[in-house]
Coordinates of all heavy atoms in Angstrom, one line a residue:
L1 N 0.8 -1.2 0.0 CA 0.0 0.0 0.0 C 0.9 1.2 0.0 O 0.5 2.2 -0.6 CB -0.9 0.0 1.2 CG -2.2 -0.9 1.2 CD1 -2.9 -0.7 2.5 CD2 -3.1 -0.4 0.0
G2 N 2.0 1.1 0.7 CA 2.9 2.3 0.8 C 3.5 2.6 -0.6 O 3.8 3.8 -0.9
Q3 N 3.7 1.6 -1.4 CA 4.3 1.8 -2.8 C 3.3 2.5 -3.6 O 3.7 3.4 -4.4 CB 4.7 0.5 -3.4 CG 5.8 -0.2 -2.6 CD 6.1 -1.6 -3.1 OE1 7.0 -2.3 -2.6 NE2 5.3 -2.1 -4.0
S4 N 2.0 2.1 -3.6 CA 1.1 2.8 -4.5 C 0.8 4.2 -4.0 O 0.6 5.1 -4.8 CB -0.3 2.0 -4.5 OG -0.8 1.9 -3.2
H5 N 0.8 4.4 -2.7 CA 0.6 5.7 -2.1 C 1.8 6.6 -2.5 O 1.6 7.8 -2.9 CB 0.6 5.6 -0.6 CG 0.6 6.9 0.2 ND1 -0.3 7.9 -0.2 CD2 1.3 7.3 1.2 CE1 -0.1 9.0 0.6 NE2 0.9 8.7 1.5
H6 N 3.0 6.1 -2.4 CA 4.2 6.9 -2.8 C 4.2 7.2 -4.3 O 4.5 8.4 -4.7 CB 5.5 6.1 -2.5 CG 6.7 6.8 -2.8 ND1 7.3 7.7 -2.0 CD2 7.5 6.6 -3.9 CE1 8.4 8.2 -2.6 NE2 8.6 7.5 -3.8
A7 N 3.8 6.3 -5.1 CA 3.8 6.5 -6.5 C 2.8 7.6 -6.9 O 3.1 8.5 -7.7 CB 3.4 5.2 -7.3
K8 N 1.6 7.6 -6.3 CA 0.6 8.6 -6.6 C 1.0 10.0 -6.1 O 0.8 11.0 -6.8 CB -0.7 8.2 -6.0 CG -1.4 7.0 -6.7 CD -2.8 6.8 -6.1 CE -3.4 5.6 -6.8 NZ -4.8 5.3 -6.3
E9 N 1.6 10.1 -4.9 CA 1.9 11.4 -4.3 C 3.2 12.0 -4.8 O 3.4 13.1 -4.9 CB 1.9 11.4 -2.8 CG 0.6 11.3 -2.2 CD 0.6 11.7 -0.7 OE1 1.6 11.5 -0.1 OE2 -0.4 12.4 -0.3
K10 N 4.2 11.1 -5.2 CA 5.5 11.5 -5.4 C 5.9 11.5 -6.9 O 7.0 11.9 -7.2 CB 6.5 10.7 -4.6 CG 6.3 10.7 -3.1 CD 6.5 12.1 -2.5 CE 6.4 12.0 -1.1 NZ 6.6 13.4 -0.4
G11 N 5.0 11.0 -7.7 CA 5.4 10.9 -9.2 C 5.8 12.1 -9.8 O 6.9 12.3 -10.3
D12 N 5.0 13.1 -9.6 CA 5.2 14.4 -10.2 C 6.5 15.1 -9.6 O 7.3 15.7 -10.3 CB 4.1 15.4 -10.1 CG 2.9 14.9 -11.0 OD1 3.1 14.1 -11.9 OD2 1.8 15.3 -10.7
A13 N 6.6 14.9 -8.3 CA 7.7 15.5 -7.5 C 9.0 14.9 -8.0 O 10.1 15.5 -8.2 CB 7.5 15.3 -6.0
D14 N 9.0 13.6 -8.2 CA 10.3 12.9 -8.7 C 10.6 13.4 -10.1 O 11.8 13.6 -10.4 CB 10.0 11.4 -8.7 CG 10.0 10.8 -7.3 OD1 10.4 11.5 -6.4 OD2 9.5 9.6 -7.2
D15 N 9.7 13.6 -10.9 CA 10.0 14.1 -12.3 C 10.6 15.5 -12.2 O 11.6 15.8 -12.9 CB 8.7 14.2 -13.2 CG 8.2 12.8 -13.5 OD1 9.0 11.8 -13.3 OD2 7.0 12.7 -13.8
L16 N 10.1 16.4 -11.4 CA 10.6 17.7 -11.2 C 12.0 17.6 -10.6 O 12.9 18.4 -11.0 CB 9.7 18.5 -10.3 CG 10.1 19.9 -9.9 CD1 10.2 20.7 -11.2 CD2 9.1 20.6 -9.0
E17 N 12.2 16.8 -9.7 CA 13.6 16.7 -9.0 C 14.5 16.2 -10.1 O 15.7 16.7 -10.0 CB 13.4 15.7 -7.9 CG 14.8 15.5 -7.1 CD 14.7 14.6 -6.0 OE1 13.6 14.1 -5.7 OE2 15.8 14.3 -5.4
A18 N 14.2 15.3 -10.9 CA 15.1 14.8 -12.0 C 15.4 15.9 -12.9 O 16.6 16.1 -13.3 CB 14.4 13.7 -12.7
E19 N 14.5 16.8 -13.3 CA 14.8 17.9 -14.1 C 15.8 18.9 -13.5 O 16.7 19.4 -14.1 CB 13.5 18.6 -14.5 CG 12.5 17.8 -15.4 CD 11.2 18.5 -15.7 OE1 11.1 19.7 -15.3 OE2 10.4 17.9 -16.3
I20 N 15.6 19.1 -12.2 CA 16.4 20.1 -11.5 C 17.9 19.5 -11.4 O 18.9 20.3 -11.6 CB 15.9 20.4 -10.1 CG1 14.5 21.1 -10.2 CG2 16.9 21.2 -9.3 CD1 13.9 21.3 -8.8
E21 N 18.0 18.3 -11.1 CA 19.3 17.7 -11.0 C 20.0 17.7 -12.4 O 21.2 17.9 -12.4 CB 19.2 16.3 -10.5 CG 18.8 16.1 -9.1 CD 18.7 14.7 -8.6 OE1 18.7 13.8 -9.5 OE2 18.5 14.4 -7.4
A22 N 19.2 17.4 -13.4 CA 19.8 17.5 -14.8 C 20.4 18.9 -15.1 O 21.4 19.0 -15.8 CB 18.8 17.0 -15.8
A23 N 19.7 19.9 -14.6 CA 20.1 21.2 -14.9 C 21.3 21.7 -14.1 O 22.1 22.5 -14.5 CB 18.9 22.2 -14.6
Q24 N 21.5 21.0 -12.9 CA 22.6 21.4 -12.0 C 23.8 20.6 -12.2 O 24.9 21.0 -11.8 CB 22.1 21.3 -10.6 CG 21.0 22.3 -10.2 CD 20.5 22.1 -8.8 OE1 20.6 21.0 -8.2 NE2 19.8 23.1 -8.2
W25 N 23.7 19.5 -12.8 CA 24.8 18.6 -12.9 C 24.9 17.9 -14.4 O 24.0 17.4 -14.8 CB 24.6 17.4 -11.9 CG 25.6 16.3 -12.0 CD1 25.5 15.0 -12.5 CD2 27.0 16.3 -11.5 NE1 26.6 14.3 -12.4 CE2 27.6 15.1 -11.8 CE3 27.8 17.3 -10.9 CZ2 28.9 14.8 -11.4 CZ3 29.0 17.0 -10.6 CH2 29.6 15.8 -10.8
D26 N 26.1 18.2 -15.0 CA 26.3 17.6 -16.3 C 27.1 16.4 -16.4 O 27.5 15.9 -17.5 CB 26.8 18.7 -17.2 CG 28.1 19.3 -16.7 OD1 28.6 18.7 -15.6 OD2 28.7 20.2 -17.4
G27 N 27.5 15.9 -15.2 CA 28.3 14.6 -15.2 C 27.4 13.4 -15.2 O 26.2 13.4 -15.4
A28 N 28.1 12.3 -15.1 CA 27.4 11.0 -15.2 C 26.6 10.7 -13.9 O 27.1 11.2 -12.9 CB 28.4 9.9 -15.4
T29 N 25.5 10.1 -14.0 CA 24.7 9.8 -12.8 C 24.4 8.3 -12.8 O 24.4 7.6 -13.9 CB 23.3 10.6 -12.9 OG1 22.6 10.2 -14.0 CG2 23.6 12.1 -12.9
E30 N 24.2 7.8 -11.6 CA 24.0 6.4 -11.4 C 22.8 6.3 -10.4 O 22.8 6.9 -9.4 CB 25.1 5.7 -10.8 CG 24.9 4.2 -10.7 CD 26.2 3.5 -10.2 OE1 27.3 4.1 -10.4 OE2 26.1 2.3 -9.8
V31 N 21.7 5.5 -10.8 CA 20.5 5.5 -10.0 C 20.4 4.1 -9.3 O 20.6 3.1 -10.0 CB 19.2 5.6 -10.9 CG1 18.0 5.5 -10.0 CG2 19.3 7.0 -11.5
H32 N 20.2 4.1 -8.0 CA 20.0 2.8 -7.3 C 18.6 2.8 -6.7 O 18.2 3.7 -6.0 CB 21.0 2.8 -6.1 CG 22.4 2.7 -6.6 ND1 23.1 1.5 -6.8 CD2 23.3 3.7 -6.9 CE1 24.3 1.7 -7.2 NE2 24.5 3.1 -7.2
R33 N 17.8 1.8 -7.0 CA 16.5 1.7 -6.6 C 16.2 0.4 -5.8 O 16.7 -0.6 -6.1 CB 15.5 1.7 -7.8 CG 15.5 2.9 -8.6 CD 14.4 3.0 -9.7 NE 14.5 4.1 -10.5 CZ 13.9 5.3 -10.2 NH1 13.3 5.5 -9.1 NH2 14.1 6.3 -11.0
Q34 N 15.5 0.6 -4.7 CA 15.1 -0.6 -3.9 C 14.1 -1.4 -4.6 O 13.2 -0.9 -5.2 CB 14.5 -0.2 -2.6 CG 14.2 -1.3 -1.6 CD 13.7 -0.8 -0.3 OE1 13.5 0.4 -0.1 NE2 13.5 -1.7 0.6
M35 N 14.2 -2.7 -4.6 CA 13.3 -3.6 -5.3 C 11.9 -3.4 -4.6 O 11.7 -3.3 -3.4 CB 13.7 -5.1 -5.1 CG 15.0 -5.4 -5.9 SD 14.7 -5.2 -7.7 CE 13.5 -6.5 -8.0
P36 N 10.8 -3.3 -5.4 CA 9.5 -3.1 -4.9 C 9.1 -4.4 -4.1 O 9.5 -5.5 -4.4 CB 8.6 -2.9 -6.0 CG 9.4 -3.5 -7.2 CD 10.8 -3.4 -6.9

């Protein structure tokens, strides 16, 4: 339930955060995600 709740509330925020990071950092990035 927490995963679906997080996805609904944070989806747009995560997209915005990704855009901000892309604008501030032009180096290589590596994403680590916890398995659902």
Side-chain angles (χ1 to χ4, degrees):
L1 281 179
Q3 292 172 178
S4 60
H5 172 51
H6 177 83
K8 288 184 178 182
E9 283 203 325
K10 302 297 185 181
D12 293 340
D14 288 344
D15 292 341
L16 178 60
E17 183 179 354
E19 293 179 4
I20 294 175
E21 290 179 353
Q24 295 176 339
W25 174 256
D26 56 3
T29 60
E30 184 175 340
V31 178
H32 296 268
R33 296 186 183 277
Q34 183 179 7
M35 292 296 293

